[in-house]
Amino acid sequence: MPSSFAQLARSSECHARTGRLATLHGHIETPVFMPVGTQATVKAMTPEDLKQIGAQIILGNTYHLYIRPGHELIRELGGLHRFMHWDRPILTDSGGFQIFSLNELASITEDGASFRSHLDGTKLFLSPEDAVAVQEALGSDIMMALDTCIPYPATRAEAARATALTNRWARRCRAAQTDTGQLLFGIVQGGLYPDLRLAALAELAETGFDGYALGGLSVGEPKEEMLAMLAACGHRMPADHARYLMGVGTPEDLVEGVMHGMDMFDCVMPTRNARNGMLFTSQGKLVIKNACFQKDAGPLDPLCTCYTCKNFSRAYLRHLFQSHEILASQLNSIHNLHYYNNLMAQMREAIRQDRFLAFRDEFYRLRGGQKP
Ligand code: PRF
Ligand code: ZN
């Protein structure tokens, strides 16, 4: 099978690379950030807003859409793209992580995961085969294999057991896939044990997936531990396939992830923080409710070219936030997602020009921060 991913340029000083991923809804230039659209919507953003900030691909959640409104309904209405009026690529997460993070009572057997709906308590079950069938009904471009996320901290024995199950489930997902042209990515677990992760990766690569993800990171472990796993595993993931770091992270995490050879990222941080009045800027974080912005006529970020920064003052944005106006969420989300998207675009350009480490130095210098 030809790979859906082509590497286009690589840094001569680190593992950073640019590439192109082919999907049913067109190409994605990597490294890429995927805004999170859990409920078939990226909160507070219309699809047109998303296009304006340059989003190439968004993420949807199998777990939430399975519970409400149901994958059969979405299939009947023409699939997730038509349902939400988004014609660019969509990646759907498999549900594994959401089942365990939203359900204290979830239980795992060899067969699959049993859990209760977080909405009304209904008993539900999702097998690896179900996870693929649901994602095929949704019609996402990239499907994720069903995994079990290992909580932090976990003993080596716990991590080994969960990782082995995740890999058996991954094989079942691959076998359950039908001929839809959708891509299927495998997920590397292994907790904070690099040898477990590398063994899991070798097994997954043996099965053969269209891309490989690092799961189970940014789940409460110290930052150094996450970066150590990234350094141990990132560049050892198959170079001829896309590499996805799941649920990560801060702008700094994205820069470190790219340096270690990762291609794809998603995180609720830009959208969630936007709604909470925390904005990302080239100089670091900004809390819009702070009194110092009461009469500030300047833009959020003088270096930003987004709709929000071109048209509104910090004073106005602070007023909207303090008044709990819906527009605060919208304008702040536009800015934060523009910031994330622009950061990725800058990294792609720096890699093409083979000056990624210089870009990284400047990134930390501007925000007055230390490199990890
Ligand atoms: N597995 C899946 N989705 C995820 C994760 C995971 O481990 C994470 C962990 N950061 C975020 N989203 N399936
Ligand atoms: Zn802006």
Side-chain angles (χ1 to χ4, degrees):
M1 201 196 327
S3 176
S4 49
F5 180 80
Q7 183 175 297
L8 298 179
R10 212 203 114 164
S11 162
S12 60
E13 316 157 308
C14 68
H15 299 290
R17 66 204 200 137
T18 64
R20 182 172 294 151
L21 179 65
T23 81
L24 290 172
H25 288 83
H27 289 86
I28 298 155
E29 303 265 338
T30 66
V32 68
F33 178 78
M34 304 183 282
V36 175
T38 295
Q39 313 265 20
T41 166
V42 175
K43 292 187 197 303
M45 297 282 289
T46 67
E48 283 67 31
D49 291 336
L50 286 168
K51 287 188 175 175
Q52 205 175 26
I53 64 103
Q56 304 185 62
I57 172 172
I58 61 171
L59 178 140
N61 276 115
T62 299
Y63 170 84
H64 294 82
L65 299 174
Y66 173 65
I67 290 180
R68 181 179 62 192
H71 55 293
E72 289 300 346
L73 181 139
I74 291 178
R75 191 212 306 265
E76 277 168 39
L77 294 176
L80 186 53
H81 287 86
R82 161 106 49 103
F83 187 53
M84 67 179 293
H85 175 54
W86 175 254
D87 58 8
R88 293 184 184 177
I90 300 176
L91 178 148
T92 43
D93 199 355
S94 55
F97 183 67
Q98 286 71 31
I99 289 173
F100 302 110
S101 51
L102 293 171
N103 296 270
E104 278 171 19
L105 301 174
S107 71
I108 310 170
T109 62
E110 188 65 34
D111 254 14
S114 300
F115 55 100
R116 284 179 183 275
S117 159
H118 69 282
L119 296 178
D120 61 7
T122 314
K123 268 193 171 171
L124 296 166
F125 176 78
L126 198 71
S127 69
E129 290 78 12
D130 295 334
V132 168
V134 173
Q135 293 179 86
E136 288 190 346
L138 296 173
S140 55
D141 298 271
I142 303 171
M143 310 187 283
M144 299 303 300
L146 187 67
D147 61 331
T148 66
C149 188
I150 301 162
Y152 173 82
T155 65
R156 190 188 163 83
E158 286 164 348
R161 230 171 69 102
T163 304
L165 181 62
T166 290
N167 280 15
R168 290 194 297 276
W169 283 3
R171 274 197 296 278
R172 283 167 55 187
C173 285
R174 199 47 154 166
Q177 209 184 346
T178 68
D179 190 14
T180 60
Q182 291 165 273
L183 305 177
L184 177 65
F185 283 19
I187 304 177
V188 179
Q189 292 289 347
L192 296 179
Y193 303 92
D195 58 316
L196 289 184
R197 284 191 177 267
L198 293 177
L201 177 57
E203 264 184 46
L204 292 171
E206 180 72 29
T207 303
F209 289 88
D210 302 304
Y212 298 87
L214 278 181
L217 293 177
S218 203
V219 293
E221 77 282 9
K223 182 78 90 187
E224 308 82 69
E225 299 265 6
M226 183 187 82
L227 294 176
M229 285 307 109
L230 249 183
C233 300
H235 69 283
R236 296 199 170 89
M237 297 169 74
D240 54 351
H241 287 82
R243 302 161 169 166
Y244 166 25
L245 179 55
M246 305 191 81
V248 176
T250 64
E252 291 83 353
D253 294 337
L254 302 191
V255 171
E256 299 308 298
V258 168
M259 183 177 76
H260 290 299
M262 302 305 292
D263 306 308
M264 302 166 69
F265 306 84
D266 79 280
C267 190
V268 296
M269 195 172 277
T271 38
R272 179 174 294 165
N273 287 9
R275 298 193 303 279
N276 293 326
M278 207 233 84
L279 289 316
F280 293 97
T281 80
S282 50
Q283 283 98 47
K285 292 180 189 172
L286 182 156
V287 177
I288 197 63
K289 72 161 185 268
N290 285 351
C292 58
F293 302 127
Q294 191 178 14
K295 295 181 178 174
D296 191 332
L300 273 180
D301 184 347
L303 296 186
C304 183
T305 58
C306 85
Y307 172 75
T308 303
C309 290
K310 273 192 309 209
N311 296 296
F312 305 96
S313 65
R314 289 171 170 180
Y316 180 65
L317 294 169
R318 176 174 186 272
H319 158 71
L320 290 181
F321 184 79
Q322 296 294 71
S323 313
H324 305 290
E325 284 294 334
I326 291 175
L327 189 58
S329 291
Q330 295 176 284
L331 295 179
N332 290 348
S333 298
I334 287 172
H335 169 79
N336 273 358
L337 285 177
H338 184 280
Y339 177 84
Y340 266 62
N341 199 70
N342 185 245
L343 176 62
M344 304 315 287
Q346 286 181 335
M347 287 198 274
R348 291 194 297 271
E349 189 55 26
I351 297 166
R352 276 184 215 114
Q353 297 175 1
D354 201 10
R355 51 172 182 82
F356 182 78
L357 289 187
F359 170 84
R360 177 172 174 259
D361 286 345
E362 176 67 4
F363 169 83
Y364 285 109
R365 195 190 62 77
L366 263 176
R367 53 188 57 220
Q370 293 234 312
K371 279 183 281 188

